[in-house]
Amino acid sequence: MSVESFGKLGAAAIASSVRAGDASRSDMIRASFERAREIGAGPDGLNIYLHSDEQASLEEADAIQKRLDSATDVGVLAGVPVAIKDNIASLGLPTTCGSKILAGYVSPFEATAITRLRASGALIVAKTNMDEFAMGSSTENSAYGPTRNPHDVRCVPGGSSGGSAAAVAAGITPIALGSETGGSVRQPAAFCGVVGVKPTYGRVSRYGLVAFASSLDQIGVLGRTVDDAALGLETIAGFDKMDSTSSDVDVPIYRLSALGGLPPDKRGPEGVAMESIRIGRTSVPIPPPPSASTLEGVVIGRPKEYFPDSLDASIRDLCERSLDRFRSMGATIRDISLPRSPLAIPVYYILAPAEASSNLARFDGVRYGLRVDPGKGLKAMYEATRSQGFGPEVTRRVLLGTYVLSAGYYDAYYKKAQAVRTLIGDDFRSVFSSGVNAIFTPTTPTTAFHVGAISDPYEMYLNDIFTVTANLAGVPAMSVPIGRVRRLPVGGQIITAHFDEYTMFRVAYALEASLGAEAHQ
Amino acid sequence: MAVTREDVLHIADLARLGVDGARADALTKELSAILAHMEVLSAVDTASVPPTDGIGAEGTPLRPDERVSPLMERTLESFAPAMRDGFFIVPRLATHEDPAESGA
């Protein structure tokens, strides 16, 4: 298989080719690593991977090939190379969270999401670069240097899952895992011209995801296409007893390729046939199988707060083009309001640092990771370890979080932000209960910016302005490519109600099919 | 609400982060500038609004209250800085603690 053709294959096509015996797992590993070399993914180039071991990956692929050669069920991701953000615990490769404080750390256990990928036949090839502990919107905060955007190496790939987005955009892997706390999958997906999904809070197990802000964190999927992302999410979603916040909610099939045209009792060879999904004690009907050509009966909300006068006119035009396509496919576009959305950045940058200041207390040099001991007592060891191990943004956020939780400021900041978070969630509940099936917005207010262009911390935080509300409300959201501005990709965001990823993918499939090549022009 | 240099040094102490003088000055400005943007929240009436203290997505179940073994596939020795007889070895509190800190 040529490296060029590999770079254009979707996950389903790779798995199909491996299942049919047209290519081996080793062929796929070799093609992935060759593509990485060709594109210059190393530390002197795009700096996409923090940890990878080609020889070990080839040996693993050979071993699996021999074991499963005669097996009939070898998984929906058979032989698909997948890259993993470096804050998701993996066996075999280190998990450093892009931080010096965890340099060389290899987890003794594996994240449930990775275990499920492996069980479906996927091959884990690398851990990707990221903003340290997922704190950032550009991947410039990595202790191991910034990742560069494959579309323009002068630009950032977005963040914090910038390495995963760049790996997919560069054609190294068709699927990568990232993580979201405030937009860290969708924003880099938009900047890199790929698809990025943040599932409903509780949809995917957080077991093995290094905690940043536990009430917001979710593992997400980056894919070259909507189908890649749907396949990835189907694989990792579902209840996990190892995560007490994991939800016991049915996972329907999201893939158009597995659903299209088939009656409900014959949907897909791998998944569960369902006409309704169970959420708690209630059963919610699933709409008809998605089609790439119709959105009849779907109501899509256009929230005015996400189309401010200050929005880049070219990005606005691309969003309006997408809304026109929805109309032409039969959807109804309704002007809506999410009035508390402008408060989301202040709320997020109180709550997330507060939770982080607690979660990151565990990195103290005692049990694992870096230890710097000046020999002046335990407290001095803590301080030396943490000040040398954490970078500037992590330090800033831990201090911010400690401040808003400290006596005298707790009510004014933390408690207030928790209450306003409730109001932000109420906005979404109100819109979805009024008959709106999906919300469409730009994913980001700008395209990718140059490395080093933003030095003011709050200006960087504003990158999350359109994405952070979905994390605060816990609803699913995804970014899909909708065109380019000055040769750089632009993402459109689709948001749906809790656990309604099905409708989100339905709308995304339709938009992707309607735009075709225009999504990348 | 402006953050003072003393505030920064106090919260750095609480967070067990060593912050030197020049960095403390820079952080004082940075944190004050960030917190200035949070003031907008004070104008929101939340008197009758309950806080979101967990996302609590519908369907989150309780599991049986039974011990679950961690799925460790590597040993503690594989990542701990030092171990003996199954225990982590950590810096000793009694002999390393600064007498001024411990109140001795």
Side-chain angles (χ1 to χ4, degrees), chain A residues 91-92 105-110 200-202 207 215 239 241-249 279-282 343 345-347 349-351 365-369 371 373 375-379 381-384 386-387 390 392-393 395-396 398-400 402-404 406 409 412-413 415-423 426 457-458 461 471-474 498-499, chain B residues 1-4 7-20 23-24 26-28 30-64 66 68-76 78-83 88-93 95-99 101:
Chain A
L91 295 167
Y105 173 75
V106 182
S107 171
F109 65 94
E110 189 163 72
T200 307
Y201 185 85
Y207 183 68
S215 78
F239 176 65
K241 67 180 181 183
M242 299 304 289
D243 172 9
S244 62
T245 60
S246 149
S247 293
D248 186 14
V249 173
I279 300 179
R281 284 187 293 277
T282 58
L343 302 171
I345 291 286
V347 168
Y349 279 96
I350 290 171
L351 298 182
V366 172
R367 289 149 297 177
Y368 48 83
R371 178 187 291 175
D373 189 356
K376 295 178 182 173
L378 194 61
K379 184 161 176 273
M381 188 208 76
Y382 287 152
E383 291 182 350
R386 287 162 64 78
S387 58
F390 290 147
E393 182 60 25
T395 299
R396 192 180 292 120
V398 168
L399 290 175
L400 187 59
T402 307
Y403 183 81
V404 299
S406 60
Y409 304 108
Y413 291 111
K415 197 173 169 189
K416 188 77 177 181
Q418 279 187 309
V420 179
R421 182 179 183 181
T422 302
L423 296 174
D426 288 346
Y458 200 80
Y461 298 166
N471 302 81
L472 291 168
H498 288 100
F499 298 107
Chain B
M1 203 176 300
V3 178
T4 66
D7 289 333
V8 169
L9 293 173
H10 175 59
I11 56 176
D13 185 58
L14 290 174
R16 300 291 186 258
L17 281 164
V19 171
D20 62 27
R23 185 80 180 111
L27 282 163
T28 303
E30 290 168 8
L31 296 185
S32 291
I34 292 168
L35 286 164
H37 292 282
M38 313 305 184
E39 296 303 324
V40 65
L41 298 182
S42 64
V44 182
D45 180 5
T46 54
S48 59
V49 181
T52 299
D53 46 13
I55 196 66
E58 194 178 355
T60 304
L62 292 174
R63 73 177 184 200
E66 58 192 28
V68 179
S69 300
L71 305 173
M72 302 281 269
E73 300 205 20
R74 299 171 67 236
T75 62
L76 297 177
S78 70
F79 64 87
M83 291 199 74
F88 291 98
I89 298 178
V90 300
R92 293 180 64 169
L93 281 167
T95 56
H96 284 208
E97 197 64 88
D98 180 350
E101 284 286 334

Side-chain angles (χ1 to χ4, degrees), chain A residues 229-302:
Chain A
L231 184 51
L233 184 61
E234 269 175 35
T235 304
I236 64 172
F239 176 65
D240 175 23
K241 67 180 181 183
M242 299 304 289
D243 172 9
S244 62
T245 60
S246 149
S247 293
D248 186 14
V249 173
D250 292 339
V251 181
I253 297 170
Y254 303 128
R255 277 169 298 148
L256 180 65
S257 55
L259 286 170
L262 292 174
D265 61 338
K266 294 197 184 329
R267 284 179 194 170
E270 304 90 11
V272 183
M274 275 184 274
E275 290 179 305
S276 62
I277 65 167
R278 183 176 48 81
I279 300 179
R281 284 187 293 277
T282 58
S283 193
V284 180
I286 290 183
S291 156
S293 59
T294 177
L295 286 174
E296 288 292 342
V298 176
V299 179
I300 296 177
R302 178 190 185 281

Side-chain angles (χ1 to χ4, degrees), chain A residues 61-182:
Chain A
D62 278 340
I64 295 171
Q65 189 82 33
K66 282 178 187 146
R67 195 171 73 237
L68 295 178
D69 232 4
S70 58
T72 51
D73 180 12
V74 293
V76 291
L77 290 173
V80 177
V82 175
I84 307 285
K85 188 176 181 179
D86 196 34
N87 61 347
I88 302 175
S90 56
L91 295 167
L93 292 171
T95 300
T96 66
C97 297
S99 179
K100 282 192 290 187
I101 209 162
L102 281 174
Y105 173 75
V106 182
S107 171
F109 65 94
E110 189 163 72
T112 299
I114 298 182
T115 303
R116 290 182 178 180
L117 285 172
R118 289 193 203 274
S120 293
L123 302 167
I124 309 306
V125 292
K127 301 299 285 292
T128 58
N129 201 5
M130 56 182 281
D131 285 301
E132 185 179 8
F133 285 104
M135 296 182 192
S137 306
S138 65
T139 316
E140 292 171 290
N141 292 336
S142 169
Y144 305 99
T147 295
R148 304 274 172 167
N149 192 314
H151 295 281
D152 183 340
V153 296
R154 296 170 300 175
C155 292
V156 302
S160 62
S161 310
S164 288
V168 174
I172 301 170
T173 63
I175 292 176
L177 292 191
S179 72
E180 276 245 4
T181 307

